[in-house]
Structures are given as C-alpha cells and as structure tokens.
Amino acid sequence: MPPYKRQHYLPCVYLKNFSADGSRATRISKVWRVDCSRAVSVTVESQCASNYLFSSQNPEKSEEDFGQMENAYGRAMKKIWAGGDPTVFEYFSLILATCDLYARNIVHENQTGREGIHAYELRTTTLINRLILGHFGDDALPLDQIKARVMESWGVRLFRTPGGQIATSDHPALCFNWGKTECIDFILLPLTPTVCAAVFDKRTTRTTGSTLTPRDGTFLFDALATHCNSCLYTCEEPEKGVIAAFETAWQRRKPPRTTTDHEKWALELTTPRADSFSFIRPIDFSVASSPSESSSH
C-alpha cells in the first residue's frame, strides 16, 4: 500500500486508550467493536479509516497536519493515565483535539466538490470561530486571538467512574447546546474506560464534582449510541445486555448526518435537559455559582 493511503477519521492515538492494554496500548492493540448485532475483537488501526479519505493529491501533508494535534493529545493522555494533572498547554490541547475529533468525522458529508481536507478545514474554521467562540464576522480570527479567547472562555474538567467502565464510539465528541444560542455550550468526550472529559464554555455552563454517577453513565451510553456512525467500542467483551441496549438506541435514533458545502456547514446540536447529567448545568445568570462549582482548567 502506498504511504499515507489509508487515512483515519478517528485517529489511533484516541481509540487505543480503550484497549485492555491501557497506557501501554499501541496501534495494534485490540478493542471490542459493538454494533447492533454482534461484538468482535479488532485491532485499533483497522478501524475508522478509508483510502485517501482526506487527500489523494497531497496525503503526506494532510497526515502531517493531523499529526501535530495527535502528538499533543498523546502527551496529555500520558499524563492522565499516570494520574497526574495536565499542564495548561495540555488542557488547551485537549480542547483543540476534542474540536478536531468532531470536525474530522465522516458523519459530515463533503459537498464542496473538492478533497475531504478542504471540507474539514472549512468545518474547523466554522467550529472554532462561530460555534466555540461566537465570532460571526466574515474573517476568521488570527491564531493568537483564538488561543487567547479559548483559554479565557473555555475549560476542561475530568470525571472518573467510581466503578464500572464507559464506552466510546466511532463519533465520540458529543456536542451540546442549552437552547439559548446557536453556539456549542459543552462537549463530552470519553478519554479512557474510566475517564470522561467535559469541555465547556465557562460563560454559559458550570461543572461540579469529579465522578460520574450510574445515571450519568446511562445517559452517556445513550448519547454515544444515538450519535455514532455505526458502532461503539469497549475495552472488554460486552455483555449481551450492552448489545441489546445499543440495538434499542439504534432503532429509535435519527442518523446524525450533516453537510458541508462552499457556503455553510449544516448541522444540528443536541439540546439536553438541564438535569440530564449530574455534573454539568447551564448557568443561571440570576444566581452566581460558587467557586467550587465553576472551577476548571
């Protein structure tokens, strides 16, 4: 196979964290792939990829660009696996990586008439400028302003499971909107079988605590099953009840297809109930939240 021919929309640096190999996982580690009919053990590198998905004209360049984000994400994950506290830069890398995972996914149909990398770049610009920062000007913000505004307005908080494990999917970044604006208010991203990240707009959203309740786990599983392309991933062989729950969510779901053309990116954001999750809430602007509720990196 020519170099860079097979291109991943969900990078191995992300999915390998859901292998039973844990912090020692590599591209050839195994994960369990779960769809509505079965569960099968597969290698990480065999998943979520296609030939020349983003570029056939200059595949090396597109892979190098993705590699910068993936390397930063990998460094942050090493710190999390070790139980350490990521640096400010590593938390910033988590925010950008979460956005990248959402924008890179094949759930977004390319109708630009150009290569996938072009549609991805259009989505990334829209996501960061409009949906994350609320900048609706004609020109995109300079990179230094993007970094400053993200660091000022957005935070990351990690939530761990006191028992049990969480799954992920082939479309793992879950974007939510409280229904008051057109922007994203928070994104949930499973990081490992026991850690989930909340990336959130500190102007609209507050977080509290550090653990996921069983009810949180149920809502998270349902959201992942509803918004995936075709499957979930787990680090251990799932019980039959997990496959049955996935099948139920699959049958009632509305496929999360979006389109990108030269003028717009048409997508729908999920609006949860304010009490859907125990650890995250919309800010009530009439009542100031306490420092313990709003603290984050």
Coordinates of all heavy atoms in Angstrom, one line a residue, residues 15-45:
L15 N -8.3 6.1 19.9 CA -9.1 4.8 20.1 C -8.2 3.8 20.9 O -8.8 3.0 21.7 CB -9.4 4.2 18.8 CG -10.3 3.0 18.8 CD1 -11.6 3.2 19.6 CD2 -10.7 2.5 17.4
K16 N -6.9 3.9 20.8 CA -6.1 2.9 21.6 C -6.3 3.0 23.1 O -6.0 2.0 23.8 CB -4.6 3.1 21.2 CG -4.0 4.3 21.8 CD -2.5 4.4 21.5 CE -1.8 5.5 22.2 NZ -0.3 5.6 21.9
N17 N -6.8 4.1 23.6 CA -7.0 4.3 25.0 C -8.1 3.4 25.5 O -8.3 3.3 26.7 CB -7.3 5.8 25.3 CG -6.1 6.6 25.1 OD1 -5.1 6.6 25.8 ND2 -6.1 7.4 24.0
F18 N -8.9 2.8 24.6 CA -10.0 1.9 25.0 C -9.6 0.5 24.8 O -10.5 -0.4 24.8 CB -11.3 2.3 24.2 CG -11.8 3.6 24.7 CD1 -11.3 4.8 24.2 CD2 -12.8 3.7 25.7 CE1 -11.8 6.0 24.7 CE2 -13.3 4.9 26.2 CZ -12.8 6.1 25.7
S19 N -8.3 0.2 24.7 CA -7.9 -1.2 24.7 C -7.6 -1.6 26.1 O -7.3 -0.9 27.0 CB -6.6 -1.3 23.9 OG -5.9 -2.5 24.1
A20 N -7.7 -3.0 26.3 CA -7.4 -3.5 27.6 C -5.9 -3.3 28.0 O -5.5 -3.5 29.1 CB -7.8 -5.0 27.7
D21 N -5.1 -3.0 27.0 CA -3.7 -2.7 27.2 C -3.4 -1.4 28.0 O -2.3 -1.2 28.4 CB -2.9 -2.7 25.9 CG -2.9 -4.0 25.2 OD1 -3.1 -5.1 25.9 OD2 -2.6 -4.1 24.0
G22 N -4.5 -0.6 28.1 CA -4.4 0.6 28.9 C -3.3 1.6 28.4 O -3.2 1.9 27.2
S23 N -2.5 2.1 29.3 CA -1.5 3.1 29.0 C -0.4 2.5 28.1 O 0.4 3.3 27.5 CB -0.9 3.6 30.2 OG -0.2 2.6 31.0
R24 N -0.3 1.2 27.9 CA 0.7 0.6 27.1 C 0.2 0.3 25.7 O 0.9 -0.3 24.8 CB 1.2 -0.7 27.7 CG 1.8 -0.6 29.1 CD 2.3 -1.9 29.6 NE 1.2 -2.9 29.6 CZ 0.3 -3.1 30.6 NH1 0.2 -2.2 31.6 NH2 -0.7 -4.0 30.5
A25 N -1.0 0.7 25.4 CA -1.7 0.4 24.1 C -0.9 1.0 22.9 O -0.4 2.1 23.0 CB -3.1 0.8 24.1
T26 N -1.0 0.3 21.8 CA -0.4 0.8 20.5 C -1.5 0.6 19.4 O -2.6 0.2 19.7 CB 0.8 0.0 20.1 OG1 0.4 -1.4 19.8 CG2 1.8 -0.1 21.3
R27 N -1.1 0.9 18.2 CA -2.0 0.8 17.1 C -2.5 -0.6 16.8 O -3.6 -0.8 16.3 CB -1.3 1.3 15.8 CG -0.7 2.7 15.8 CD 0.1 2.9 14.5 NE -0.7 2.7 13.3 CZ -1.3 3.7 12.7 NH1 -1.3 4.9 13.3 NH2 -2.0 3.5 11.6
I28 N -1.7 -1.6 17.2 CA -2.1 -3.0 17.0 C -2.8 -3.6 18.2 O -3.1 -4.8 18.2 CB -0.9 -3.8 16.6 CG1 0.2 -3.8 17.6 CG2 -0.3 -3.3 15.2 CD1 1.3 -4.8 17.3
S29 N -3.0 -2.8 19.2 CA -3.8 -3.3 20.4 C -5.2 -3.6 19.9 O -5.7 -3.1 18.9 CB -3.8 -2.3 21.5 OG -2.5 -2.2 22.1
K30 N -5.9 -4.4 20.7 CA -7.3 -4.8 20.4 C -8.3 -4.0 21.2 O -8.1 -3.7 22.4 CB -7.5 -6.3 20.7 CG -6.6 -7.2 19.8 CD -7.1 -7.3 18.4 CE -6.5 -8.4 17.6 NZ -6.9 -9.7 18.0
V31 N -9.4 -3.7 20.6 CA -10.6 -3.2 21.3 C -11.8 -4.0 20.8 O -11.7 -4.8 19.8 CB -10.9 -1.7 20.9 CG1 -9.8 -0.8 21.5 CG2 -11.0 -1.5 19.4
W32 N -12.9 -3.9 21.6 CA -14.1 -4.6 21.2 C -15.0 -3.7 20.4 O -15.4 -2.6 20.9 CB -14.8 -5.2 22.4 CG -14.2 -6.4 22.9 CD1 -13.2 -6.5 23.8 CD2 -14.4 -7.7 22.5 NE1 -12.8 -7.8 24.0 CE2 -13.6 -8.6 23.2 CE3 -15.4 -8.3 21.6 CZ2 -13.6 -10.0 23.1 CZ3 -15.4 -9.7 21.5 CH2 -14.5 -10.5 22.2
R33 N -15.4 -4.1 19.2 CA -16.3 -3.3 18.4 C -17.7 -3.8 18.5 O -17.9 -5.0 18.3 CB -15.9 -3.4 16.9 CG -16.7 -2.5 16.0 CD -16.2 -2.8 14.5 NE -16.9 -1.8 13.6 CZ -18.1 -2.0 13.1 NH1 -18.8 -3.1 13.4 NH2 -18.5 -1.1 12.2
V34 N -18.7 -3.0 18.9 CA -20.0 -3.4 19.2 C -21.0 -2.7 18.2 O -21.0 -1.5 18.2 CB -20.4 -3.0 20.6 CG1 -21.8 -3.6 21.0 CG2 -19.4 -3.5 21.6
D35 N -21.7 -3.5 17.5 CA -22.8 -2.9 16.7 C -24.1 -3.5 17.1 O -24.2 -4.1 18.1 CB -22.6 -3.0 15.2 CG -22.4 -4.5 14.7 OD1 -23.1 -5.4 15.3 OD2 -21.7 -4.7 13.7
C36 N -25.2 -3.3 16.3 CA -26.5 -3.7 16.8 C -26.7 -5.2 16.7 O -27.8 -5.7 17.1 CB -27.6 -3.0 16.0 SG -27.6 -3.2 14.3
S37 N -25.7 -6.0 16.2 CA -26.0 -7.4 16.1 C -24.9 -8.3 16.7 O -25.1 -9.4 17.0 CB -26.0 -7.8 14.6 OG -24.8 -7.5 13.9
R38 N -23.7 -7.7 17.0 CA -22.6 -8.5 17.5 C -21.5 -7.7 18.1 O -21.5 -6.4 18.0 CB -22.0 -9.3 16.4 CG -21.3 -8.5 15.3 CD -20.5 -9.3 14.3 NE -19.8 -8.5 13.4 CZ -18.7 -9.0 12.7 NH1 -18.4 -10.3 12.8 NH2 -18.1 -8.2 11.9
A39 N -20.6 -8.4 18.8 CA -19.4 -7.7 19.3 C -18.2 -8.6 18.8 O -18.2 -9.8 18.8 CB -19.4 -7.7 20.8
V40 N -17.1 -7.9 18.3 CA -16.0 -8.6 17.8 C -14.7 -7.8 18.2 O -14.7 -6.6 18.3 CB -16.1 -8.7 16.3 CG1 -16.1 -7.3 15.6 CG2 -14.9 -9.5 15.7
S41 N -13.6 -8.6 18.5 CA -12.4 -8.0 18.8 C -11.6 -7.6 17.6 O -11.4 -8.4 16.7 CB -11.5 -9.0 19.7 OG -10.3 -8.5 20.0
V42 N -11.1 -6.4 17.5 CA -10.4 -5.8 16.3 C -9.2 -5.0 16.7 O -9.1 -4.6 17.9 CB -11.4 -4.9 15.5 CG1 -12.6 -5.7 15.0 CG2 -11.9 -3.8 16.4
T43 N -8.3 -4.9 15.8 CA -7.1 -4.0 16.1 C -7.5 -2.5 16.0 O -8.4 -2.2 15.2 CB -6.0 -4.3 15.2 OG1 -6.4 -4.0 13.8 CG2 -5.5 -5.7 15.3
V44 N -6.9 -1.7 16.7 CA -7.2 -0.3 16.7 C -7.0 0.3 15.3 O -7.8 1.0 14.7 CB -6.3 0.5 17.7 CG1 -6.4 2.0 17.5 CG2 -6.7 0.1 19.1
E45 N -5.8 -0.1 14.6 CA -5.5 0.5 13.4 C -6.4 0.1 12.2 O -6.5 0.7 11.2 CB -4.1 0.2 13.0 CG -3.8 -1.3 12.7 CD -2.4 -1.5 12.3 OE1 -1.6 -0.6 12.3 OE2 -2.0 -2.7 12.1

